[in-house]
Amino acid sequence: MALNLGMKNSNKILSQMKSKVGLLSLIKQSSCTCSMNSHYNKTPLTAAPFARAFKSPDSNFRFSPSLFLARRFESIKAGKQLDSFGSSVNNQFLDFPGGRVAFTPNMRFISESSEERIPCYRVLDDDGQPFPDSSFVKVSEGVAIKMYNDMVTLQTMDTIFYEAQRQGRISFYLTTSGEEAINIASAAAIKNDDFVVPQYREPGVLLWRGFSMQEFANQCFGNKADYGKGRQMPIHYGSNKHNYFTVSSTIATQLPHAVGAAYALKMDQKDACAVTYFGDGGTSEGDFHAALNFSAVTEAPVIFICRNNGWAISTPISDQFRSDGAVVKGRAYGVRSIRVDGNDALAIYSAVHAAREMAIGEGRPILIEVKCLSFSIFLSVM
C-alpha cells in the first residue's frame, strides 16, 4: 500500500515536471521566434494559457506571481500590465510591469548627474518685485499682511526664547532664523484639515494655525499648562486641535509616519493631505528613502518639504551626497518634485498650493526642495 502511494506521488510529481518542462520550451520557442522575426504579428504570449496548463491549483498559485504583478492597489499603473514579450515594427521591446522598455544594442551607462542643475523656482527679484511673466498663485491683501506679521512675530519669538535659553531659563531651543518664509508661506497654502508632521523648525505652522504665544511659552517652560505635562523637551510642540503631530528629535522618523497618515486620509476619502518637513540631513537617513518609495507605491497624498540650507547641524552637503540636492531623489522613486527659493514667500506659497492640489486631486506624493540661506545652524544649542 505504501509502495502504491509512493508510486502515485511520484507520478503526480513527474506529471507536474512535464507540464513545467513543456511550458519552458513554449516560452523559449516564443522568445526565439520574437527575436528572429522583427515582423512578428501574432498575438503575444500572455499568462492565461500558461496558468491553464497546470493541473494543480497549488502549482498555479506558486507560478502566478512570476506572470502577474500583485494588484494590491488598484490605482497603481504598473499593476495593470501583464508580462509579455513582443516587438514593434522598428524595434524590440519588453512589456514589463511599470511600462514598456525598449531594447538597444548600445551599451550606455546613465550619467551620475545631468549637465545642468535643476533650476530653482522664484517669483520675486532682489527688489521684491515679481519677474515679468512669472507664474504664481495670487494671494489676497489680508493673507499677505498676515503672512508678513507672522514672519515678524516668529522671528521676535525666536529672539526672546533663544535669549531665555542662553540665560538658563529654559534648557533647549532652536530658531528658525532665515526660514520664516518656509514656515509661514507653506502653512498659508494648506488647509487646517491637513495633517502636519514636523521636524523641529516649524513652529511658524502652529503660529499660523492659531497657537498662542502663551501656549509656546507653556511648552518651552514645561509648566502645568503645557499640553505634554512637561514630559517633552522644549520646542517639541504638538497640538491635536491644530492637527500638528508632536515633534520628535530623531531625524527623519516622521517621514514614514506622514506617509501612513496620508494613506489613512486617502482610505477615508478625506479632502486633505499630510505635509511633512525635514532638513537636508534627513535625506541621508534610510527613513527618507523608505518614505518616498512607500508614498509612491501607495500613491499617498503627502507633501515632503525639504529645507536645504547646505548644512546638517555642522555637516555640509558635500559630505552627505553627490547628487544635485534632494530634488533629483524624488524622480528615482517616481515622485514628482520641484526646487523652490526658500526666501521667496510667494514662490513657496505657489509651489505648496499647487502641490496640495496635485496630491489630493491626482493621488500622488510631491517632493519640494526649498533652498534657503538659514542662520539657524549658528544658533543651535547642543
Side-chain angles (χ1 to χ4, degrees), residues 119-158:
C120 187
Y121 171 58
R122 192 182 190 190
V123 173
L124 302 176
D125 60 20
D126 292 340
D127 295 324
Q129 300 299 319
F131 287 105
D133 301 325
S134 60
S135 59
F136 64 94
V137 179
K138 295 182 179 180
V139 299
S140 65
E141 181 179 350
V143 171
I145 293 175
K146 178 174 170 52
M147 288 172 62
Y148 180 79
N149 286 338
D150 281 1
M151 284 192 284
V152 174
T153 302
L154 179 59
Q155 191 176 77
T156 303
M157 183 183 76
D158 273 349

Side-chain angles (χ1 to χ4, degrees), residues 59-370:
S59 299
N60 275 330
F61 179 77
R62 286 193 298 269
F63 191 76
S64 59
S66 65
L67 296 173
F68 294 97
L69 183 64
R71 295 176 62 179
R72 184 177 179 183
F73 306 103
E74 289 294 333
S75 61
I76 296 178
K77 296 179 180 179
K80 297 180 181 179
Q81 301 191 32
L82 300 175
D83 282 351
S84 62
F85 291 91
S87 60
S88 63
V89 176
N90 298 321
N91 64 334
Q92 294 180 334
F93 61 85
L94 173 66
D95 198 3
F96 197 75
R100 181 172 295 182
V101 180
F103 289 110
T104 176
N106 302 319
M107 182 174 64
R108 186 180 66 177
F109 290 88
I110 300 175
S111 175
E112 68 281 3
S113 61
S114 59
E115 295 181 359
E116 296 183 0
R117 298 194 67 181
I118 302 297
C120 187
Y121 171 58
R122 192 182 190 190
V123 173
L124 302 176
D125 60 20
D126 292 340
D127 295 324
Q129 300 299 319
F131 287 105
D133 301 325
S134 60
S135 59
F136 64 94
V137 179
K138 295 182 179 180
V139 299
S140 65
E141 181 179 350
V143 171
I145 293 175
K146 178 174 170 52
M147 288 172 62
Y148 180 79
N149 286 338
D150 281 1
M151 284 192 284
V152 174
T153 302
L154 179 59
Q155 191 176 77
T156 303
M157 183 183 76
D158 273 349
T159 301
I160 294 173
F161 282 139
Y162 175 70
E163 291 178 352
Q165 191 282 327
R166 301 310 294 167
Q167 295 168 4
R169 296 172 184 268
I170 58 177
S171 61
F172 184 83
Y173 196 78
L174 293 175
T175 71
T176 56
S177 301
E179 299 179 359
E180 295 88 354
I182 301 174
N183 275 240
I184 303 303
S186 64
I190 60 179
K191 305 298 182 182
N192 290 337
D193 291 336
D194 297 330
F195 291 160
V196 175
V197 189
Q199 194 181 18
Y200 42 62
R201 297 191 194 273
E202 288 77 38
V205 180
L206 262 181
L207 179 64
W208 178 270
R209 292 191 170 190
F211 210 68
S212 68
M213 292 294 104
Q214 185 62 56
E215 289 174 307
F216 281 114
N218 292 340
Q219 199 286 322
C220 288
F221 283 90
N223 60 30
K224 65 178 183 180
D226 172 28
Y227 299 133
K229 305 301 180 183
R231 298 186 181 96
Q232 273 280 19
M233 293 174 60
I235 75 165
H236 287 55
Y237 311 109
S239 175
N240 291 334
K241 176 182 177 181
H242 300 96
N243 286 326
Y244 191 93
F245 284 55
T246 302
V247 174
S248 175
S249 286
T250 44
I251 303 300
T253 56
Q254 73 274 16
L255 303 185
H257 300 163
V259 179
Y263 189 60
L265 291 172
K266 177 181 179 180
M267 291 294 97
D268 291 339
Q269 298 182 344
K270 299 291 186 180
D271 185 25
C273 66
V275 183
T276 185
Y277 299 80
F278 55 102
D280 50 272
T283 66
S284 298
E285 296 289 338
D287 283 334
F288 166 77
H289 301 274
L292 256 64
N293 190 59
F294 183 23
S295 66
V297 171
T298 59
E299 296 182 334
V302 56
I303 302 174
F304 299 95
I305 299 180
C306 175
R307 298 174 283 95
N308 185 354
N309 58 28
W311 295 84
I313 305 297
S314 58
T315 303
I317 57 175
S318 59
D319 290 343
Q320 292 187 70
F321 44 74
R322 288 292 181 268
S323 63
D324 180 13
V327 66
V328 296
K329 300 179 188 294
R331 188 173 187 180
Y333 293 103
V335 176
R336 190 173 293 174
S337 311
I338 188 174
R339 172 175 283 163
V340 184
D341 182 356
N343 297 109
D344 188 333
L346 276 181
I348 297 171
Y349 179 90
S350 300
V352 176
H353 185 275
R356 185 182 186 275
E357 289 187 346
M358 288 186 288
I360 298 175
E362 301 178 24
R364 65 168 64 251
I366 304 292
L367 171 63
I368 301 176
E369 180 191 25
V370 186

